[in-house]
Amino acid sequence: MMRPKLSENDYRKLCAITNPKVHQFIAECAKLCNPDRIFICNDSPEDLAYIRQKAIETGEEKPLAIPGHTVHFDGPYDQGRDREATKYLVPKGDHLSKALNQIDRDEGLAEVKSLLKDSMKGRMMIVRFVSLGPLNSIFTIPGLQCTDSWYVAHSVSLLFRPGYKLFCKLGPDENFLRVLHSAGKLDESMVSVEHDKKRVYIDYTEDVIYSVNTQYAGNSVGFKKLAFRLAIRKANREGWLAEHMMIMGVHGPGGRKTYLAGAFPSACGKTSTAMLPGETILGDDIAYIRAINSVARAVNVECGIFGILRGINPKDDPVIFKALTSPGEVIFSNVLVKNGKPYWLGMGCEVPKDGINYTGYWWEGKTDEHGNPIPPAHKNARYTISLKALENCDPELDNPLGVELSGIMYGGRDSKAYVPVQQSFNWEHGIICYGAALETETTFAIVGKEGIPEINAMSIQDFISIPLGQNIRNNLAFGKKLKKPPIIFGVNYFLRDLKTGEYLNSPGDKHVWVKWMELRVHNDVGALRAPTGLIPKYEDLHVLFKKVLGKEYRKEDYIKQFTIRVPENLAKIERVKRFYREKVSDTPEELFQILDQQRERLLKTRKRFGDYVPPDRFEEE
Ligand code: SPV
Ligand code: MN
């Protein structure tokens, strides 16, 4: 059936893979979607160049002025991950938490297959093989995607490690994650138009993902957030962790390097933390973490970045700004383009008054159908680039053993309660009070309303594919497998003044928090024992602000930022408890106990010192 759709060369490439399940999956995709031709990518430079060339030829990407740069546009209703359209296919008799979007498997399969039927007629189906995680490693998970989008296939080249050779060696019984994607009906600008028929369905019983009528990479590049959901289930079965985390090497005194991971919901500072100048970036989005010889070791699942452009400017983000303005392979998406140059919000220069953006020709004052002004570039405009294109890419990126993790940070968008940085009393306290209790306000990275406060446990809630309580239990248990568990920190870049609503920190301050964490890992500085965690001492931060940012850190700022707000913290605990009580039926009892202990500490503090307690009231640990 496939033979007439394959060139001689592609046929040979496919035959070099002997795992029958690979052939079967590709054949099923071809049968359902009915492409004219099938292209098998073997990761050779010619094949990769061909994909990039086709992305331009078909118009899914357009070249920009700087060599290697292209731009891709997604439709106006396809500018972020779509929670509504993303569902788990749940077989009868199986149960997932109420908090997870789901549909009966038979019903969902029938629906998505009817949308995919003949969707590739007149097009080529591209087959891509990747290795999730480094090659030749205990972390490696093979992945296969069939897609009719050259943009998606091109993004795969930048974001994932090549996997064709891995598939050639795959034994007949070995498993892999599978993705079938079609952009669906396209308009003359090569943009998916049937957004009302957008579906992203996850069949965890067979490790298959179906995605249709969307191009936004978070919905269409299956190895990103979609395979992540399957990896979470695999990790749950096998006793390791798949996390929505960046990984960075923090450079401490005496030339030492300390690896920290960080979980933040989308658009809450994860990538910008990972990219801090002077430190090295190992990953910005997804990490697999295993206990190897009782040590927590982590790898980056990807080898590229699909990052947010908004706010990237030469002053605050010199490394990435340079990479984005130098020759080399970069795909920009949903920016404003004028004279071959991409523009985004907050790039630190004037943006032209007209150009081409995700709504077609754009001019200042253009409004949408509801009369709302359309911004020049979408807030969720992004760039796709290989990590190796960055000056500060960490040299351990492809180490099959990963890197030893010394610390983990959890950070949300919490305007009221948590201090900018604190250290947990122990693994369990950190997992519950910073991880499971992570609260945030929704952002532009997800289609829908912004600014709605919600719990986003471990920043993984959008992707969690097992009962939520089980995920918390797995995290609690993981610490017990380790001789010396990573130290857990809670960070909050978004604390505001309760009266004026002003942010209490500048974006650059996060560098100081990261350096403080590094010193804490090695016990190089002390801390104060607040009811919510161990907080920094003024003297230490004063030194770090000077050293890292060249700034004079004022005592009054320290007091404002690190005052423990008892009422806000108590209210937070109540919200978190209510969420777990009402939405997560399998919540471990330990969660409520640890939150109650925090509540008791807060009540005691209030009795002694009142509602708002400046940091210097607390004793040194
Ligand atoms: C995120 O939104 O968390 C991202 C981008 O990293 S996406 O691929 O859309 O998930
Ligand atoms: Mn992400």
Side-chain angles (χ1 to χ4, degrees), residues 1-209:
M1 188 224 108
M2 286 197 282
R3 187 65 190 88
K5 296 180 193 268
L6 287 157
S7 70
E8 194 54 45
N9 192 19
D10 285 314
Y11 179 68
R12 235 181 299 118
K13 287 190 264 180
L14 183 56
C15 288
I17 298 173
T18 54
N19 182 312
K21 287 180 278 191
V22 171
H23 293 249
Q24 195 189 334
F25 180 69
I26 299 171
E28 281 167 8
C29 293
K31 191 161 170 233
L32 177 63
C33 301
N34 199 12
D36 285 8
R37 316 274 306 155
I38 301 171
F39 172 64
I40 307 287
C41 176
N42 69 357
D43 306 323
S44 63
E46 304 82 69
D47 278 10
L48 299 183
Y50 176 69
I51 287 176
R52 186 173 180 279
Q53 181 53 33
K54 288 298 275 185
I56 294 171
E57 225 173 83
T58 53
E60 273 195 273
E61 291 176 34
K62 291 175 190 64
L64 294 168
I66 296 182
H69 292 197
T70 54
V71 60
H72 162 81
F73 291 111
D74 299 300
Y77 299 98
D78 196 20
Q79 293 286 322
R81 270 188 288 109
D82 196 322
R83 281 182 177 171
E84 287 286 300
T86 306
K87 293 182 185 164
Y88 292 100
L89 301 172
V90 183
K92 288 188 181 60
D94 210 358
H95 296 282
L96 283 186
S97 303
K98 270 192 268 173
L100 307 180
N101 206 8
Q102 50 200 288
I103 182 170
D104 172 73
R105 181 168 181 267
D106 295 335
E107 192 189 322
L109 270 181
E111 184 195 11
V112 76
K113 286 191 176 173
S114 76
L115 293 168
L116 282 161
K117 187 150 182 44
D118 293 329
S119 58
M120 298 186 186
K121 233 176 164 164
R123 296 184 197 156
M124 185 113 84
M125 182 169 91
I126 309 133
V127 182
R128 297 257 14 202
F129 305 95
V130 302
S131 164
L132 300 172
L135 282 151
N136 306 317
S137 150
I138 184 168
F139 290 97
T140 311
I141 300 180
L144 188 174
Q145 176 155 7
C146 295
T147 178
D148 59 2
S149 164
W150 295 100
Y151 158 68
V152 168
H154 183 199
S155 301
V156 169
S157 309
L158 294 172
L159 292 173
F160 297 94
R161 296 174 181 91
Y164 176 75
K165 287 200 184 114
L166 169 69
F167 271 79
C168 288
K169 286 187 284 187
L170 220 55
D173 297 324
E174 278 184 76
N175 280 320
F176 49 93
L177 306 183
R178 301 144 215 226
V179 187
L180 170 57
H181 164 257
S182 168
K185 205 167 153 198
L186 301 171
D187 65 10
E188 65 286 353
S189 333
M190 297 302 283
V191 171
S192 299
V193 279
E194 297 193 306
H195 58 88
D196 52 325
K197 294 185 185 150
K198 186 193 313 179
R199 298 289 183 275
V200 182
Y201 284 179
I202 297 134
D203 182 3
Y204 59 77
T205 64
E206 297 201 337
D207 277 350
V208 182
I209 288 145

Side-chain angles (χ1 to χ4, degrees), residues 213-230:
N213 293 314
T214 173
Q215 285 162 304
Y216 174 72
N219 303 322
S220 64
V221 177
F223 306 124
K224 230 182 143 50
K225 290 305 175 9
L226 307 174
F228 180 40
R229 296 160 199 255
L230 300 178

Side-chain angles (χ1 to χ4, degrees), residues 510-552:
K510 60 169 84 73
H511 206 163
V512 171
W513 315 147
V514 164
K515 291 290 204 194
W516 181 77
M517 290 179 229
E518 202 276 341
L519 294 175
R520 285 295 300 166
V521 163
H522 299 278
N523 256 322
D524 287 352
V525 287
L528 304 173
R529 194 168 263 279
T532 53
L534 302 168
I535 61 174
K537 297 196 304 185
Y538 173 69
E539 311 84 272
D540 297 325
L541 290 184
H542 186 261
V543 172
L544 284 173
F545 265 89
K546 204 31 143 319
K547 231 181 21 229
V548 180
L549 303 174
K551 264 196 196 166
E552 192 59 39

Side-chain angles (χ1 to χ4, degrees), residues 422-479:
Q422 53 188 339
Q423 178 186 333
S424 72
F425 299 117
N426 51 45
W427 175 264
E428 290 78 12
H429 174 245
I431 291 294
I432 299 303
C433 288
Y434 305 157
L438 198 151
E439 276 191 300
T440 197
E441 290 154 24
T442 52
T443 66
F444 52 80
I446 290 139
V447 175
K449 255 201 151 87
E450 280 178 46
I452 311 287
E454 60 179 16
I455 307 276
N456 191 333
M458 276 99 181
S459 91
I460 210 175
Q461 204 153 312
D462 275 1
F463 319 111
I464 203 81
S465 48
I466 57 174
L468 263 180
Q470 180 64 31
N471 187 57
I472 293 168
R473 231 173 265 127
N474 290 348
N475 273 272
L476 289 170
F478 189 76

Side-chain angles (χ1 to χ4, degrees), residues 80-81 216-219 224-225 244 264-267 270-271 284-285 306 308 380 382 445-446 463:
R81 270 188 288 109
Y216 174 72
N219 303 322
K224 230 182 143 50
K225 290 305 175 9
H244 190 209
F264 299 72
S266 307
K270 182 151 55 78
T271 304
D284 90 310
D285 202 31
F306 175 56
I308 295 172
N380 199 28
R382 291 189 178 240
I446 290 139
F463 319 111

Side-chain angles (χ1 to χ4, degrees), residues 326-619:
S326 309
E329 217 166 327
V330 185
I331 311 172
F332 290 87
S333 57
N334 306 317
V335 288
L336 177 74
V337 177
K338 174 102 190 209
N339 297 330
K341 194 173 171 213
Y343 294 88
W344 56 88
L345 305 175
M347 74 187 283
C349 72
E350 207 167 317
V351 172
K353 306 239 176 296
D354 73 335
I356 304 291
N357 80 357
Y358 64 98
T359 64
Y361 178 66
W362 175 89
W363 63 93
E364 200 174 54
K366 185 175 181 183
T367 52
D368 65 16
E369 69 266 34
H370 308 293
N372 300 316
I374 296 171
H378 196 274
K379 284 185 193 171
N380 199 28
R382 291 189 178 240
Y383 60 91
T384 305
I385 195 169
S386 155
L387 268 166
K388 295 210 170 119
L390 301 183
E391 277 168 7
N392 63 346
C393 173
D394 194 277
E396 301 301 321
L397 176 62
D398 292 322
N399 186 338
L401 270 180
V403 295
E404 177 175 347
L405 272 192
S406 301
I408 293 177
M409 60 186 104
Y410 290 101
R413 210 172 258 268
D414 170 1
S415 52
K416 294 208 178 93
Y418 273 171
V419 294
V421 62
Q422 53 188 339
Q423 178 186 333
S424 72
F425 299 117
N426 51 45
W427 175 264
E428 290 78 12
H429 174 245
I431 291 294
I432 299 303
C433 288
Y434 305 157
L438 198 151
E439 276 191 300
T440 197
E441 290 154 24
T442 52
T443 66
F444 52 80
I446 290 139
V447 175
K449 255 201 151 87
E450 280 178 46
I452 311 287
E454 60 179 16
I455 307 276
N456 191 333
M458 276 99 181
S459 91
I460 210 175
Q461 204 153 312
D462 275 1
F463 319 111
I464 203 81
S465 48
I466 57 174
L468 263 180
Q470 180 64 31
N471 187 57
I472 293 168
R473 231 173 265 127
N474 290 348
N475 273 272
L476 289 170
F478 189 76
K480 300 198 171 58
K481 295 184 183 168
L482 305 169
K483 268 195 296 257
K484 201 170 136 240
I487 293 183
I488 302 185
F489 299 94
V491 294
N492 178 19
Y493 302 158
F494 301 94
L495 185 67
R496 293 176 191 259
D497 187 296
L498 281 176
K499 285 200 201 82
T500 65
E502 273 170 298
Y503 284 118
L504 290 181
N505 290 101
S506 314
D509 295 359
K510 60 169 84 73
H511 206 163
V512 171
W513 315 147
V514 164
K515 291 290 204 194
W516 181 77
M517 290 179 229
E518 202 276 341
L519 294 175
R520 285 295 300 166
V521 163
H522 299 278
N523 256 322
D524 287 352
V525 287
L528 304 173
R529 194 168 263 279
T532 53
L534 302 168
I535 61 174
K537 297 196 304 185
Y538 173 69
E539 311 84 272
D540 297 325
L541 290 184
H542 186 261
V543 172
L544 284 173
F545 265 89
K546 204 31 143 319
K547 231 181 21 229
V548 180
L549 303 174
K551 264 196 196 166
E552 192 59 39
Y553 187 49
R554 298 181 312 177
K555 184 85 188 252
E556 62 205 85
D557 290 333
Y558 169 71
I559 291 175
K560 265 196 204 157
Q561 294 160 9
F562 288 91
T563 284
I564 298 297
R565 303 167 173 190
V566 177
E568 284 71 19
N569 271 287
L570 288 172
K572 182 186 192 89
I573 291 175
E574 289 317 307
R575 284 193 301 275
V576 175
K577 278 170 47 179
R578 191 176 338 115
F579 171 82
Y580 282 98
R581 224 183 295 115
E582 290 174 3
K583 295 265 173 66
V584 186
S585 59
D586 68 327
T587 303
E589 202 37 49
E590 209 173 340
L591 176 136
F592 297 109
Q593 285 162 7
I594 291 173
L595 288 170
D596 282 337
Q597 287 160 9
Q598 180 126 317
R599 186 169 169 273
E600 287 307 312
R601 285 192 298 271
L602 283 159
L603 292 174
K604 252 198 218 144
T605 301
R606 175 157 77 184
K607 229 186 197 153
R608 259 186 91 187
F609 301 116
D611 274 345
Y612 296 94
V613 190
D616 39 20
R617 288 293 155 86
F618 302 113
E619 276 159 32

